[in-house]
């Protein structure tokens, strides 16, 4: 079979093989054995690389999927030029590696990931955090856990207070009047809510034009990450 996609994880296996966790548009996340990849002169080693969109030829063996050939389609080589870009791109791949199931085909999440990598590659490094945060909240939404950010989850009224709460268990915002005593919520300001809404609803191109306050973006990111862990 021919698979198009990118590496999520590359690890040593046995004497001189590699285990490649690959995220493909055709089969979703799949484990591929790259035989002899750690031997000198291995022709297959170059196909197991991070931040490259590649086309792989894979055959199904009795116990493993084996890589037999392939080629690079597009390299996101600018990512390697910046520590920040590497950090945020690696984070994005680790989310798929840790939270996305094997062999679940998902075109929307594949395209989302491809676009996020493309943006981190091409934009200034200062934008990497916005793109990775937007990727994360959009990933959650596509995965079936879209947070409620427009209304109160209890009374369903639109949110008007300056302070409100994000409930990790219920998955969204709760107004001041409806707040209950539970440990699963965090108070958030209107500014943080605004960032969360933009990250969820705006596309990467328009998000790249915003200048969020660094500390606010950091808080918004922490909320999304906590929400992700709650969904696991
Ligand atoms: Zn309410």
């Amino acid at each position: 079979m021919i698979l198009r996609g990118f590496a999520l994880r590359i690890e040593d296996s046995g004497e001189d093989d590699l285990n490649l966790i690959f995220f493909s548009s055709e089969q979703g996340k799949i484990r591929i054995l790259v035989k002899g990849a750690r031997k000198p002169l291995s022709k297959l080693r170059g196909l197991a690389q991070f931040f490259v969109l590649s086309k792989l030829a894979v055959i199904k063996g009795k116990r493993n999927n084996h890589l037999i050939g392939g080629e690079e389609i597009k390299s996101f080589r600018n990512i390697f030029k910046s520590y920040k870009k590497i950090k945020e791109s690696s984070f994005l791949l680790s989310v798929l590696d840790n939270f996305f199931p094997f062999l679940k085909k998902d075109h929307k999440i594949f395209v989302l990931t491809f676009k996020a990598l493309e943006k981190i590659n091409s934009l200034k490094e200062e934008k990497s955090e916005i793109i990775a945060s937007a990727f994360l909240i959009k990933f959650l939404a596509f995965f079936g856990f879209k947070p409620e950010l427009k209304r109160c989850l209890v009374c369903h009224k639109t949110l008007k207070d300056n302070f409100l709460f994000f409930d990790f268990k219920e998955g969204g915002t709760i107004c001041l009047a409806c707040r209950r005593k539970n440990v699963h919520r965090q108070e958030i300001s209107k500014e943080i809510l605004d960032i969360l809404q933009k990250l969820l609803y705006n596309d990467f191109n328009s998000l790249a034009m915003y200048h969020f306050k660094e500390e606010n973006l950091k808080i918004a990111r922490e909320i999304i990450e906590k929400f992700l862990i709650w969904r696991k």
Side-chain angles (χ1 to χ4, degrees):
M1 56 188 163
I2 299 292
L3 303 176
R4 285 166 202 82
F6 31 84
L8 299 181
R9 184 163 28 120
I10 302 165
E11 57 193 13
D12 290 354
S13 166
E15 279 275 294
D16 44 29
D17 305 338
L18 282 179
N19 237 331
L20 168 65
I21 308 297
F22 194 71
F23 189 50
S24 70
S25 73
E26 291 81 4
Q27 300 274 325
K29 190 164 101 178
I30 185 168
R31 189 184 297 274
I32 301 167
L33 187 66
V34 192
K35 271 263 178 212
R38 280 149 62 220
K39 278 184 186 159
L41 305 177
S42 163
K43 287 195 180 84
L44 297 175
R45 177 67 185 95
L47 293 168
Q49 301 284 348
F50 286 113
F51 314 135
V52 171
L53 177 70
S54 42
K55 191 165 114 181
L56 302 184
V58 174
I59 50 165
K60 253 194 164 104
K62 261 185 192 158
R63 285 170 56 203
N64 298 299
N65 300 303
H66 293 271
L67 180 68
I68 52 166
E71 60 181 329
E72 179 183 309
I73 301 172
K74 185 184 162 72
S75 167
F76 301 110
R77 58 175 64 87
N78 287 337
I79 291 176
F80 289 106
K81 293 177 189 163
S82 147
Y83 169 73
K84 210 174 214 165
K85 288 187 178 195
I86 292 174
K87 185 176 157 240
E88 295 299 339
S89 307
S90 304
F91 166 78
L92 197 147
L93 298 179
S94 75
V95 169
L96 292 167
D97 189 23
N98 290 310
F99 293 90
F100 200 72
F102 277 96
L103 300 174
K104 180 185 191 304
K105 212 173 116 178
D106 192 314
H107 183 66
K108 273 173 100 173
I109 289 179
F110 184 83
V111 172
L112 176 75
T113 311
F114 176 75
K115 281 188 180 165
L117 286 175
E118 203 172 39
K119 286 294 156 198
I120 293 175
N121 184 60
S122 62
L123 293 169
K124 285 183 182 161
E125 66 168 13
E126 299 88 78
K127 300 294 177 187
S128 306
E129 219 166 346
I130 295 180
I131 301 300
S133 306
F135 163 82
L136 189 56
I137 198 165
K138 290 176 196 301
F139 166 79
L140 276 159
F142 290 165
F143 203 38
F145 303 115
K146 184 178 167 187
E148 173 60 60
L149 295 173
K150 288 183 170 168
R151 290 167 185 278
C152 168
L153 277 170
V154 180
C155 67
H156 305 294
K157 285 183 186 151
T158 43
L159 304 159
K160 280 181 242 121
D161 309 321
N162 281 329
F163 280 93
L164 41 124
F165 297 86
F166 189 90
D167 191 307
F168 296 103
K169 199 176 171 200
E170 303 297 331
T173 38
I174 289 180
C175 76
L176 208 58
C178 297
R179 76 186 151 138
R180 286 158 300 183
K181 277 187 188 161
N182 74 53
V183 290
H184 315 308
R185 59 168 166 72
Q186 181 174 331
E187 190 174 332
I188 59 170
S189 67
K190 204 112 206 215
E191 275 175 298
I192 302 297
L193 177 66
D194 179 62
I195 295 178
L196 289 171
Q197 288 171 338
K198 287 195 167 82
L199 292 173
L200 178 59
Y201 292 109
N202 292 21
D203 65 26
F204 290 137
N205 286 333
S206 61
L207 281 166
M209 320 263 251
Y210 287 109
H211 297 279
F212 299 125
K213 273 189 205 155
E214 209 181 313
E215 67 263 34
N216 285 345
L217 183 62
K218 209 176 149 208
I219 295 169
R221 168 73 164 264
E222 279 166 10
I223 288 170
I224 308 169
E225 286 187 20
K226 265 195 210 170
F227 184 52
L228 172 75
I229 289 161
W230 259 96
R231 299 299 109 182
K232 205 179 175 181

